[in-house]
Amino acid sequence: MRGRPPQPSWSILSSSLRRPFPNPTKPPSPSRYSNGRRSDPPPPKRSFSSSPSLPPPEWIDPFIDVSDLNGHSSDLHQSPWVARIAALLDSSPTMESDLTAFCHSLLIRLSPAFVSHLLRFSDAPLRRDPAVAVRFFRWAGRQRRYVHKLESYTSLIEILLSSDTGVEKIRPLVLEIEEYTMTIASSNSLIRSLGKAGMVEELLEVWKWMKRDGLEPSLFSYNCLLDGLVSSGFIDSAERVFEVMKAPPPDIVAFNTMIKGYCKVGKTRKAIELTREMDSRVGGPDKISYMTVIQACYSDGDFDACLRLYHEMEERGLEIPVHAYSLVIGGLCKGGKPFEGLSVFENMIERGCKRNVAIYTALIDSFAKSGSEDRAMNLFLRLKNENDFELDEVAYGVVVNLLCKAGKLEAAVEQFEYCKEKGVSINMVIYCSLIDGFGKVGRVDMAERLFEEMVNGGIVPDSYCYNAIIDALTKYGRIDEALDMFRRMESEGCDQTVYTYTILIDGLFRKHMNEEALKLWRVMIDKGITPTAASFRVLSKGLCLSGKFETARKIADDLAPMGVVLETAYEDMIHVLCKAGRVRHACRLADGIIERGREIPGNVRKVMINALRKAGNSDLAIKLLHSKIGIGYDRMGSVKRRVKFQTLLNG
DNA sequence: CTAGGGTTAG
């Protein structure tokens, strides 16, 4: 539950949603104006003038009525003032005084509608520059006898929310709105933009004011509220709103918003249940409902569900977006089923969907990883010769990687050089595959050269790259240089991972630098890096083979309270000991497990039986096979004890 | 008279 925001105060919603707000009297206004809460501003009084000798300044409007000229009943043209004022709106420090001087010399004042218009329309420079918009808004507000329209507030807030302005700057603006009488359009606009920005507290304020002014939220209002709650992670609140929606009842958008909400918090099952409910309530899920849940299943790694949902979409005759195909095919590819992926892909083409590079890349990668390198390469070469596609760096990345993994370094370099020629950007991933590939076949010099070429090209290597080069150096005995790289990583601010440590610990043990290896393990633990089963396997192997299996056992014991999942730690150690022919030690370790009240798993017994047989001790092997050692119980006094391996060794 | 979904590599 870490990182989850606190639930907003529900009281506001529950009181206002359950019964209609009566709104008989308006609260006393804190406004400095005498006409109660602000609604539209008072009509500007033309009689006002600061100087009796001059005509009064004129309030200018954003539109001019030209209906008299052309005979149409109502024809509005934008006033030429709009462009002239807009030209003054820039980030210059004298913007305010320029505006004042301009208006003063031409005897004009900007009407509230004029200001609202400048804030609303996208051709005004204010859309791009929120800071200028705020300055203009504040300047206009200081004009004599001027009161902002509510729409100016909503437009300004929209501008601020679409930029990266901090929430703290927007909050006070929202609070100023309290004095206005809400309109359905303004409250909807606010609910939508506040919801998008995750300003749920403010959104609920607006909701309250809306109710206060006797406005019934529309379906649109409800849906924006739901979306706001959902995108801020308040799924419980959204759920309660959804449940009280009666008039209007939830529509397909409301359902889809809830589905998104459940998906967001990881409740994919609940989301799918909701799609079932849609059949009887809104005439069934649509393509967006399906897209949302397919996306969630994909993120969960539940690729079977992706495929099932896709089939459902087909049965219902829904239009299947390309992106749905991408997810389904991508899922099949990741799940190691490239042939099934290909068949869905063919369906997609039949239906006239546009092919894309991402899907091809996924297919190529999947074929390669499930052992059909030839097929993968053929597909790639076919695409390369077609002119419909520009293969990107990801596609080349996949191919370079597959060639490297197959040990075909010359072919990999060929593609790499081709990328350079054709201007396909060479990124870190491609370098990384090559470094790893050359390292794995022992051409450490090439791996090093590529690493330096990458760095000189301005790429800052990440942990994958460092791990690849460290692995190369380590595997071919250059442990000191590997350790140099390890330190370089640290000084460059690149995080060392559990893989980095695993590689080096393994390398150190290979060089019989047992103390250093153990020390490195401790450094890793101290840094708070969670060990993996593989990392412990490397450590325990090294320790066991150097006769320190007590130390290994103790470390495994220490890890358990850390909550590290090393279910197979002891089994791994027994494996290592058996493989090294130290069956006696393996037995002692197994007894240690028994002493802690655990059973020895069947596969571990099998390993021990095989080890005994290999060591030429087939008698003991058979005895173990037919005994209850490690799994059954002995009667010792009144206490149940599992039969120990000791009994085997004692004859 | 608005709103709800969005991928490929080490």
Side-chain angles (χ1 to χ4, degrees), chain A residues 381-394:
Chain A
L381 292 173
R382 218 179 66 205
L383 285 181
K384 204 174 163 182
N385 291 328
E386 275 182 29
N387 287 327
D388 306 4
F389 282 110
E390 280 298 322
L391 291 178
D392 60 6
E393 71 264 31
V394 183

Side-chain angles (χ1 to χ4, degrees), chain A residues 57-286:
Chain A
E58 189 190 355
W59 291 100
I60 52 167
D61 284 316
F63 296 105
I64 311 170
D65 192 344
V66 292
S67 51
D68 290 346
L69 300 176
N70 56 22
H72 289 107
S73 59
S74 166
D75 197 353
L76 294 178
H77 278 200
Q78 185 169 284
S79 153
W81 288 116
V82 173
R84 298 194 63 180
I85 295 294
L88 295 172
L89 303 178
D90 54 28
S91 49
S92 106
T94 58
M95 183 186 83
E96 285 87 349
S97 51
D98 292 349
L99 280 165
T100 305
F102 183 83
C103 290
H104 190 77
S105 66
L106 293 164
L107 286 168
I108 54 168
R109 278 181 287 180
L110 311 190
S111 72
F114 192 93
V115 172
S116 169
H117 180 254
L118 272 177
L119 286 162
R120 179 179 304 274
F121 288 94
S122 51
D123 53 338
L126 301 175
R127 284 273 154 187
R128 275 284 139 207
D129 198 336
V132 173
V134 172
R135 284 171 61 192
F136 172 65
F137 178 84
R138 290 305 181 200
W139 173 87
R142 286 194 296 270
Q143 294 182 108
R144 286 184 150 272
R145 312 244 346 137
Y146 174 96
V147 179
H148 278 303
K149 277 170 81 80
L150 178 55
E151 288 69 25
S152 293
Y153 277 96
T154 58
S155 300
L156 181 63
I157 289 168
E158 272 175 25
I159 291 173
L160 294 179
L161 287 174
S162 62
S163 71
D164 49 7
T165 310
V167 173
E168 324 73 49
K169 297 217 175 221
I170 298 168
R171 198 187 313 276
L173 270 175
V174 178
L175 296 180
E176 285 177 38
I177 291 175
E178 182 171 7
E179 295 182 15
Y180 284 82
T181 302
M182 290 295 135
T183 63
I184 195 80
S186 306
S187 40
N188 277 346
S189 149
L190 285 167
I191 288 167
R192 181 174 58 160
S193 40
L194 293 171
K196 276 199 190 304
M199 295 175 68
V200 174
E201 288 294 341
E202 291 75 9
L203 187 156
L204 294 179
E205 283 290 301
V206 172
W207 191 270
K208 197 171 71 177
W209 302 333
M210 193 179 175
K211 290 284 192 173
R212 176 197 66 190
D213 296 339
L215 294 174
E216 272 311 309
S218 64
L219 190 55
F220 180 76
S221 331
Y222 271 107
N223 285 345
C224 290
L225 169 64
L226 283 180
D227 195 51
L229 291 170
V230 150
S231 51
S232 309
F234 299 124
I235 185 67
D236 295 343
S237 302
E239 208 167 33
R240 297 179 70 171
V241 173
F242 187 73
E243 277 160 15
V244 295
M245 281 173 78
K246 289 286 181 306
D251 67 343
I252 203 157
V253 176
F255 269 93
N256 286 344
T257 306
M258 289 308 293
I259 288 170
K260 178 179 75 168
Y262 286 126
C263 290
K264 239 186 111 137
V265 297
K267 294 183 174 177
T268 311
R269 283 187 56 131
K270 189 108 190 187
I272 293 175
E273 275 170 33
L274 210 55
T275 65
R276 308 280 171 249
E277 218 179 292
M278 289 172 86
D279 275 325
S280 57
R281 293 182 62 185
V282 288
D286 69 354

Side-chain angles (χ1 to χ4, degrees), chain A residues 556-564:
Chain A
D557 284 345
D558 292 344
L559 287 175
M562 290 171 54
V564 178

